[in-house]
Amino acid sequence: MNIVLLGPPGAGKGTQAEKLSARYGWPQIATGDILRAALSEGTGLGLEAKKYMDVGELVPDEVVEGLVEERLGRDDAREGFILDGFPRNAHQAAALDGYLSARGLSIDLVVNIVVETEVLVRRIAGRRACRQCGANYHVDFNPPAEEGLCGQCGGELYQREDDNEETVGNRLDVYLGHTEPLIEYYRPCGCLVSVDGSKSPDEVFEAITGAVEKVLVRE
Ligand code: AP5
Ligand code: MG
């Protein structure tokens, strides 16, 4: 089953994609994570992407679209995938449609995670991620058992460089200008579901799995 998670920065796309992947086995394909991994490996791609990520701008479409196409072509994405952070604008959405339709595939479910701005800012300010395995925490809402250490792999927890106030403001503006319009782009497909992302992670997950199960029953 092919899923797109839409939502502003801090909405919980990564949190929910991780849970969905653990439950159903479809890979989480998070463009932000792929770009951060390239950066920590010091590749040319990572260094190029950093210029945009540091200021909260979108990395050029051709770069991100190429990454996603390569990732979607791998074996583990054959039974389905969970796109987290892609597409982010109309160009990327059209590129994804083109890639999928050329292979007789389509998006089965688009989950729009709705959260108000004040909550987003608190979530992003308190977010911590594991340097080793990428697991997600929050200092108040989802604290690790031991401060600064990942409960899953023991790795060091860190704060993302683009989680500072100024960059977050720009990321929110970019979301409103470029990504939010995708809600209307996907509406005609009949596969768009909005969930209240301000509830607890488990409650949000329940709402999303409810939508997933409905699609699975139809298939
Ligand atoms: P990306 O990494 O995708 O960041 P983002 O979209 O800004 O989203 P976040 O990762 O900040 O939020 P999230 O929705 O995943 O929330 P999370 O689950 O972590 O992109 C970063 C940059 O990369 C972009 O600015 C751009 O430069 C570049 N980029 C990426 N994709 C691109 C693309 N397609 N095209 C071009 N450029 C691209 O949750 C946030 C926090 O809240 C966590 O601490 C979590 O524990 C907590 N939390 C989650 N859910 C709940 C809940 N229900 N209740 C309480 N706390 C919660
Ligand atoms: Mg994320």
Side-chain angles (χ1 to χ4, degrees):
M1 178 163 166
N2 304 333
I3 302 177
V4 167
L5 298 184
L6 276 184
K13 301 181 296 295
T15 302
Q16 297 300 328
E18 213 178 296
K19 287 163 94 63
L20 281 170
S21 183
R23 160 101 36 119
Y24 294 101
W26 306 310
Q28 169 189 8
I29 301 180
T31 41
D33 290 350
I34 296 172
L35 294 168
R36 279 184 290 279
L39 179 57
S40 71
E41 286 160 17
T43 65
L45 164 72
L47 294 173
E48 170 69 10
K50 181 176 163 52
K51 291 191 271 184
Y52 301 92
M53 296 173 83
D54 278 352
V55 289
E57 292 294 332
L58 294 181
V59 173
D61 291 336
E62 60 273 20
V63 174
V64 184
E65 289 164 8
L67 285 176
V68 171
E69 290 190 5
E70 186 278 321
R71 184 63 189 84
L72 288 176
R74 291 199 211 157
D75 280 351
D76 67 343
R78 270 204 203 148
E79 297 298 314
F81 51 79
I82 304 154
L83 282 169
D84 157 9
F86 184 93
R88 276 261 219 310
N89 60 24
H91 192 279
Q92 294 179 11
L96 177 63
D97 281 349
Y99 175 90
L100 293 174
S101 64
R103 288 157 182 79
L105 301 170
S106 59
I107 295 297
D108 302 300
L109 179 66
V110 178
V111 180
N112 175 34
I113 307 179
V114 183
V115 181
E116 60 185 77
T117 306
E118 284 148 54
V119 178
L120 297 173
V121 172
R122 271 196 71 196
R123 284 190 187 174
I124 292 174
R127 176 189 15 219
R128 300 291 180 271
C130 174
R131 257 190 218 290
Q132 223 157 273
C133 74
N136 228 327
Y137 295 88
H138 190 283
V139 292
D140 300 318
F141 308 137
N142 177 25
E146 213 175 320
E147 205 187 314
L149 288 183
C150 177
Q152 290 182 29
C153 76
E156 180 205 354
L157 300 186
Y158 79 108
Q159 184 166 29
R160 267 170 50 179
E161 274 185 40
D162 61 344
D163 278 354
N164 64 73
E165 209 175 313
E166 201 185 329
T167 308
V168 168
N170 201 29
R171 280 160 59 200
L172 285 166
D173 287 346
V174 168
Y175 168 77
L176 291 173
H178 297 274
T179 313
E180 198 183 54
L182 292 184
I183 297 170
E184 293 314 312
Y185 176 91
Y186 282 116
R187 203 177 293 285
C189 76
C191 59
L192 176 73
V193 171
S194 284
V195 300
D196 178 359
S198 65
K199 298 196 172 150
S200 73
D202 286 345
E203 286 171 308
V204 179
F205 187 57
E206 213 182 300
I208 296 178
T209 52
V212 169
E213 295 297 332
K214 272 193 194 161
V215 177
L216 287 175
V217 165
R218 279 208 306 264
E219 277 181 350

